Amino acid sequence: MLSADFLANEAAIHGLSPEQTAAFVERLKSENLEKTELNLAIELGIEEDTFTKRMTAVYKKFAKSYPELASSKGRGQREKLRACLTAKYNGGQDFGVSATSTKLSTSQSNAAHPTIKKTYENIPPAVPFEKFVGREAELEELHQKLQTSRQVVIVAVAGMGGVGKTELATQYAKQHLQNYQGGVCWLSAQGIDVIIQIFRFVELKFNKIAPDDWELADRLRYCWENWQQGEVLLVFDNVTDYKTQVQPYLPPQSPRFKVLLTTREKFDRTLPQLPLGVLKPLAAMKLLKSLVDRERLKSEPWVAREICKSLGYLPLALELVGRYLDTMPDLSLEKLLKRLQKKRLEHEAIAKANPLMHYEYGVAEAFALSWEQLDENAQGLGCLLSLYALADIPFSVEAIEDDDEQELNEKAIGDLLKLHLLQRQSKEIYRLHPLIRQFFQMKLDESSEVDKVKTAFAAQMVEVAKQIPQQPNCKHILNFTSHIPHIAEVATCLSQYLSDEDLIQPFTRLGWFYQGQGLYQQAEPWLQQCEKVTKNRLGLEHLDVAASLNNLATLYRSTGRYNEAELLMQQVLALVKRLLGENHPRVATSLNNLAELYCSTGRYNEAEPLMQQALELRKRLLGENHPRIATSLNNLAELYRSTGRYNEAEPLFQQALELTKCLQGDNHPDVATSLNNLAALYRSTECYNKAEPLFQQALELTKRLLGDNHPDVASSLNNLAELYCSTGRYNEAKPLMQQALELKKHLLGDNHPDVATSLNNLAELYRSTERYSEAELLYHQALELRKRLLGDNHPNVATSLNNLALLYGSTGRYSEAELLFEQALAICEQALGVGHPHTIRVRGNYARFLREAYR
């Protein structure tokens, strides 16, 4: 559809007079295609002959750019001009000069064909503009609304789907592409986070990348500030929650940014809206004619109108029926109408839809026509796919071992694709339209196999979920990302089909998936739901309730919410004791977890007896030779090391190492852990000659067992590097720290607490070697990352503040250093207590700084 703005611009380019421009625009406007020149002349208040003369002059001027116009007259001339302008309008290119036309000079060519700036877009595919019918008025109204308002919502009447909201937005974006020289960015509100889509658009289209260590809000602001000049159209498609899917990602208040939303939700009048209903009867017939042979419709015109009426003039239903008729050339329209009427009755008996939403029946009826063409296997596959979330579905036929079954599934997928009931996104990735998914679910609910299918699907997703480890690396995250929406769907909608044994799994693994990436805010709701669901299903006195509480407590401890974590861990300990008695290994585990929490808050006096109890209980129940005995010995030794009781720590670390070797053999990851812990003790006591070979052994063993790309390898590299720093061997330390940082980024992603630790350690090295500018940059990155992931009041944030303050003190920035020391000390005292070693260390650094700064 050619916009009035585009036509006026073309008139100016080709030197039309004001009178000629008025005639040209009226003649070429989409809504005037079928009007006679007499009618247009009357609308302009001129004689028909005057209108004709002006248009003759127009064609003559445009023929300089489009020579093919000279060979046509009348309606043919008008249609050729419209085709040329439409090609230019849609493609941003000049299609006017034919291959056989006379070659123009460079200056003539530039004048006749002005250069059009490339417009960047990611608009989804759309139907050809000539087949997009019945929405001319809505397109014009939409354009006018966007010119006078920053945001416009396309909303279906009564929230009904299938009226073409997304298609209308797509057509508008394509047809008005030249109006938005700043680009058209299409954002799906479902699936991948909107902010990630914005980052990708800016990166791919403008080659602009905001630093990964910035906060998300700052990265988003960077995108808006570096967006290409010109008016910009942002389309948020399929919005279900404006507050979470749109509001946080809106660009700054600027007239050049236009925002268009499509949604099934009804918003209030705060946002200008374009209610989109069904097609008018004539437009519905025109759409059907674009899909079905016209002669066939002419032979039964009354029946064709009745078919449109029976489908409620809904674009989606009309298109499906049109495609169905096209594949059934011998089916009479009368027979089709009878079938539609029969299906309507059947649909009314089972749909249970809102009676006010009359046209939804038409959608189900249209789907039922295609459903009839499917064999039992294809129908079953459609029902199974409807249980997946409304997102890309990873479905691999090759994973099926039985060849016959694999072939049946391949045919079923082919049938679903052929009838447009399934969309193929890429290899082994599929998607269902929301209404088709709903239809398949309806059919599944009618089946006697519904409970069996849902139970099997839930169990299948649980098996996938069970493969998510508690500490996922980048490979795990990449492999499981596509499965996460579907595991979430089971947790949210199908938990009643989970067995009691599996109930906890989807929630727990979703929590681990996000927690392992440092996405604590996304992990927390799943772990909270886990607690709620297990209590409701299994009762308050159940071991899975204890497990869910423990998982939530672990999350709280990781984010510095120690009071909440402590309360939950105490509940877990009490519950496990009630259910299993005082003498059970899980009681020892709970004692150990609570003790580790106390260590995190510097309450070593409370932690020590719990660790000793855990150790004694494990010895009594498991015997002296058990891996958990080694774990307890190691934990107690670490407590002693943290409190400076090195003589007591050393024999326990050595016992843990020997026991682990005895039980697991010399080549086991736990042996590498014990070597690291003992080496750390020697480093603390400045026994560097003892520490170094142990760190090196641990590193080599970890690489051999886990490969070069593993988080434990990064930790071992970092430990050895810190030893080198302690002995002033900075040249040897630096490459190890850099390797550790890059490895953690690669495995854990840029947004992870361990990455912040590596940034901090490398910054410490730079500060020690007086490379202050490089150190400051890394300190800031570590600080911002820790604040974003752990919150402002976490001890690790205090560490970053303390280190940055030391740097400022070294460079004479005393006022800034003093402020940071105050902040760091306040966090430590509140989170850890005044007697914690970390608090004491910060207080000592602050005191030394004050003495040096003000002496």
Side-chain angles (χ1 to χ4, degrees):
M1 308 299 172
L2 299 177
S3 70
D5 290 344
F6 173 81
L7 293 172
N9 185 58
E10 287 296 306
I13 291 173
H14 290 82
L16 302 188
S17 68
E19 294 77 16
Q20 292 168 347
T21 297
F24 164 71
V25 171
E26 286 301 308
R27 179 67 281 175
L28 273 292
K29 282 170 62 174
S30 302
E31 57 266 38
N32 293 339
L33 285 178
E34 304 301 324
K35 291 184 180 180
T36 65
E37 292 195 348
L38 175 60
N39 289 336
L40 294 175
I42 293 173
E43 291 180 10
L44 291 174
I46 59 177
E47 296 294 330
E48 183 178 5
D49 287 344
T50 303
F51 184 90
T52 302
K53 289 178 181 179
R54 291 179 182 175
M55 285 305 301
T56 299
V58 167
Y59 293 133
K60 186 176 181 179
K61 290 187 176 181
F62 272 87
K64 296 177 181 178
S65 300
Y66 307 103
E68 57 266 47
L69 295 179
S71 63
S72 302
K73 291 184 179 180
R75 184 181 181 91
Q77 195 173 36
R78 185 181 79 217
E79 292 301 322
K80 280 192 176 182
L81 176 58
R82 179 173 179 79
C84 292
L85 293 176
T86 299
K88 180 178 179 180
Y89 183 82
N90 287 336
Q93 304 176 35
D94 190 346
F95 293 86
V97 181
S98 68
T100 58
S101 65
T102 303
K103 185 175 182 179
L104 300 175
S105 69
T106 301
S107 59
Q108 288 175 318
S109 178
N110 289 340
H113 310 290
T115 300
I116 298 177
K117 181 181 179 182
K118 179 176 178 60
T119 301
Y120 292 99
E121 50 87 8
N122 62 339
I123 308 168
V127 300
F129 75 92
E130 67 272 9
K131 291 188 177 182
F132 185 67
V133 299
R135 298 298 193 194
E136 293 83 2
E138 287 88 346
L139 280 169
E140 186 61 27
E141 182 181 356
L142 176 57
H143 184 60
Q144 294 304 320
K145 285 181 177 291
L146 277 169
Q147 301 315 299
T148 57
S149 177
R150 187 165 169 263
Q151 295 186 58
V152 175
V153 179
I154 298 178
V155 56
V157 175
M160 182 176 64
V163 293
K165 304 179 294 297
T166 296
E167 187 61 36
L168 182 67
T170 306
Q171 291 288 338
Y172 173 81
K174 285 186 174 294
Q175 295 176 27
H176 287 264
L177 193 59
Q178 290 302 315
N179 292 84
Y180 298 100
Q181 292 295 304
V184 176
C185 180
W186 191 279
L187 304 165
S188 173
Q190 308 297 322
I192 300 175
D193 288 347
V194 168
I195 195 168
I196 300 300
Q197 296 179 59
I198 295 173
F199 292 163
R200 288 180 179 174
F201 185 92
V202 173
E203 179 180 350
L204 293 175
K205 305 299 184 182
F206 307 145
N207 198 28
K208 302 285 186 180
I209 306 175
D212 290 335
D213 55 299
W214 286 8
E215 292 190 3
L216 289 179
D218 293 329
R219 294 176 67 190
L220 184 61
R221 189 181 305 110
Y222 174 91
C223 291
W224 302 136
E225 291 173 352
N226 288 274
W227 206 279
Q228 179 167 288
Q229 292 301 309
E231 284 204 351
V232 180
L233 178 64
L234 301 173
V235 183
F236 290 81
D237 186 40
N238 198 16
V239 174
T240 55
D241 187 340
Y242 179 87
K243 186 175 181 180
T244 62
Q245 296 171 336
V246 178
Q247 195 174 52
Y249 312 115
L250 290 175
Q253 292 288 344
S254 170
R256 80 185 190 98
F257 285 99
K258 302 292 184 181
V259 179
L260 177 61
L261 286 74
T262 72
T263 180
R264 294 183 66 183
E265 303 295 322
K266 184 175 182 180
F267 291 169
D268 61 32
R269 296 183 180 274
T270 304
L271 296 175
Q273 298 179 35
L274 177 65
L276 193 62
V278 297
L279 294 173
K280 302 293 184 183
L282 289 178
M285 278 296 296
K286 191 173 181 180
L287 174 58
L288 201 59
K289 287 177 182 177
S290 71
L291 298 165
V292 183
D293 181 66
R294 293 194 175 205
E295 294 302 318
R296 188 176 177 189
L297 296 179
K298 284 181 179 179
S299 66
E300 298 178 84
W302 179 86
V303 181
R305 290 187 180 89
E306 283 300 305
I307 288 175
C308 292
K309 183 178 180 180
S310 71
L311 295 175
Y313 310 110
L314 195 64
L316 177 61
L318 289 163
E319 181 175 355
L320 284 171
V321 169
R323 292 180 184 278
Y324 176 81
L325 282 170
D326 197 45
T327 61
M328 305 285 286
D330 297 326
L331 177 64
S332 71
L333 298 186
E334 185 175 2
K335 186 174 182 179
L336 171 63
L337 178 60
K338 290 180 179 178
R339 186 180 294 178
L340 283 171
Q341 292 170 339
K342 179 181 179 181
K343 291 294 178 182
R344 186 182 184 91
L345 293 173
E346 181 182 354
H347 182 261
E348 287 177 345
I350 62 174
K352 300 180 180 178
N354 188 320
L356 296 177
M357 297 170 66
H358 303 291
Y359 302 122
E360 189 169 340
Y361 298 130
V363 178
E365 290 161 358
F367 291 155
L369 292 174
S370 297
W371 172 266
E372 284 185 345
Q373 304 305 305
L374 299 173
D375 62 22
E376 185 177 351
N377 287 317
Q379 289 178 347
L381 181 59
C383 290
L384 173 63
L385 294 177
S386 74
L387 295 178
Y388 285 86
L390 196 58
D392 286 349
I393 301 171
F395 190 83
S396 174
V397 175
E398 294 180 0
I400 302 173
E401 295 182 359
D402 184 88
D403 287 343
D404 292 338
E405 186 179 353
Q406 186 178 115
E407 189 173 356
L408 286 173
N409 277 273
E410 288 172 346
K411 182 180 182 301
I413 289 177
D415 290 344
L416 291 169
L417 292 171
K418 180 180 178 181
L419 291 171
H420 306 281
L421 296 173
L422 183 67
Q423 302 168 14
R424 183 181 182 273
Q425 303 297 101
S426 60
K427 184 179 180 181
E428 298 180 345
I429 301 294
Y430 304 93
R431 182 179 280 267
L432 286 174
H433 184 280
L435 295 180
I436 296 175
R437 175 175 178 260
Q438 181 182 351
F439 177 81
F440 283 146
Q441 288 179 342
M442 179 186 73
K443 287 297 183 182
L444 177 59
D445 288 340
E446 297 172 13
S447 168
S448 60
E449 300 287 306
V450 57
D451 289 340
K452 179 180 177 181
V453 172
K454 289 183 177 181
T455 300
F457 175 75
Q460 175 189 343
M461 287 297 102
V462 165
E463 291 307 309
V464 176
K466 285 180 178 179
Q467 299 175 47
I468 301 175
Q470 190 165 5
Q471 295 179 329
N473 57 32
C474 265
K475 184 177 180 180
H476 294 132
I477 293 165
L478 180 64
N479 290 340
F480 289 109
T481 293
S482 62
H483 296 280
I484 293 301
H486 312 301
I487 297 172
E489 181 75 10
V490 169
T492 305
C493 302
L494 298 173
S495 62
Q496 67 269 35
Y497 294 97
L498 294 168
S499 67
D500 289 353
E501 293 75 17
D502 288 338
L503 180 61
I504 195 174
Q505 293 296 337
F507 304 95
T508 298
R509 304 298 173 142
L510 287 166
W512 288 356
F513 177 79
Y514 291 114
Q515 187 175 347
Q517 301 176 67
L519 302 173
Y520 300 113
Q521 290 183 343
Q522 291 172 260
E524 184 174 353
W526 292 113
L527 298 180
Q528 289 174 330
Q529 280 184 253
C530 186
E531 177 197 0
K532 182 179 179 180
V533 169
T534 51
K535 283 182 176 178
N536 288 341
R537 166 89 74 90
L538 307 174
L540 299 179
E541 301 291 308
H542 196 281
L543 287 174
D544 280 354
V545 173
S548 67
L549 291 171
N550 184 71
N551 289 332
L552 195 54
T554 301
L555 173 73
Y556 290 157
R557 187 180 68 188
S558 299
T559 54
R561 295 158 66 179
Y562 299 120
N563 290 336
E564 295 172 83
E566 181 180 354
L567 179 62
L568 293 182
M569 285 186 176
Q570 289 172 337
Q571 291 179 33
V572 171
L573 178 58
L575 180 55
V576 171
K577 284 182 176 180
R578 283 200 304 275
L579 295 173
L580 301 174
E582 298 279 349
N583 297 306
H584 194 279
R586 289 188 66 167
V587 173
T589 299
S590 290
L591 288 167
N592 182 77
N593 291 345
L594 185 57
E596 286 191 276
L597 173 69
Y598 289 156
C599 286
S600 298
T601 56
R603 295 155 66 182
Y604 299 112
N605 291 336
E606 296 175 76
E608 184 174 352
L610 297 184
M611 284 191 175
Q612 289 172 335
Q613 288 178 48
L615 175 59
E616 293 304 317
L617 187 55
R618 282 172 168 170
K619 284 182 176 180
R620 188 166 67 250
L621 297 173
L622 305 174
E624 296 281 348
N625 297 312
H626 192 279
R628 289 184 182 175
I629 301 298
T631 300
S632 280
L633 289 169
N634 180 75
N635 291 342
L636 188 56
E638 186 63 26
L639 181 148
Y640 291 154
R641 186 177 74 86
S642 299
T643 53
R645 297 156 66 181
Y646 302 126
N647 291 334
E648 295 174 79
E650 184 176 1
L652 296 185
F653 275 136
Q654 290 173 334
Q655 287 178 49
L657 174 59
E658 292 305 315
L659 182 57
T660 302
K661 285 183 175 181
C662 177
L663 296 173
Q664 312 282 17
D666 290 340
N667 295 305
H668 192 277
D670 287 351
V671 173
T673 300
S674 287
L675 289 169
N676 261 316
N677 292 340
L678 185 56
L681 172 70
Y682 291 146
R683 186 181 62 200
S684 298
T685 57
E686 300 182 2
C687 296
Y688 301 124
N689 291 335
K690 291 184 178 180
E692 184 173 349
L694 296 182
F695 277 137
Q696 290 172 335
Q697 289 177 47
L699 176 59
E700 292 305 317
L701 182 56
T702 303
K703 283 184 175 181
R704 188 165 68 249
L705 295 175
L706 304 177
D708 290 338
N709 296 308
H710 193 277
D712 288 355
V713 173
S715 297
S716 285
L717 288 167
N718 185 75
N719 290 339
L720 187 57
E722 285 192 87
L723 173 72
Y724 290 156
C725 285
S726 299
T727 56
R729 296 152 66 184
Y730 299 114
N731 289 336
E732 295 175 76
K734 181 182 175 182
L736 298 184
M737 284 191 174
Q738 290 173 329
Q739 287 179 49
L741 175 59
E742 292 307 314
L743 187 53
K744 285 181 179 180
K745 284 184 176 182
H746 174 68
L747 295 173
L748 305 173
D750 291 334
N751 295 304
H752 194 280
D754 287 355
V755 173
T757 299
S758 280
L759 287 168
N760 178 80
N761 292 344
L762 187 56
E764 278 286 278
L765 183 148
Y766 288 149
R767 182 173 68 86
S768 299
T769 54
E770 299 184 358
R771 296 165 64 177
Y772 296 125
S773 60
E774 294 171 89
E776 182 175 355
L777 177 63
L778 296 183
Y779 277 142
H780 278 297
Q781 291 178 22
L783 175 60
E784 294 305 315
L785 187 55
R786 282 170 165 170
K787 281 185 175 181
R788 186 164 72 249
L789 297 176
L790 305 175
D792 291 339
N793 297 310
H794 193 278
N796 287 355
V797 172
T799 298
S800 286
L801 292 169
N802 172 81
N803 293 343
L804 193 54
L806 289 171
L807 182 141
Y808 287 162
S810 299
T811 54
R813 297 156 68 177
Y814 298 130
S815 59
E816 294 174 80
E818 186 170 356
L819 178 61
L820 295 183
F821 273 129
E822 288 284 358
Q823 294 176 19
L825 187 58
I827 292 172
C828 287
E829 289 179 345
Q830 180 179 358
L832 304 175
V834 294
H836 192 279
H838 192 43
T839 306
I840 295 171
R841 191 178 307 115
V842 172
R843 188 182 300 112
N845 290 337
Y846 189 14
R848 281 190 294 275
F849 161 75
L850 292 175
R851 286 197 299 270
E852 292 293 325
Y854 298 108
R855 64 181 178 180

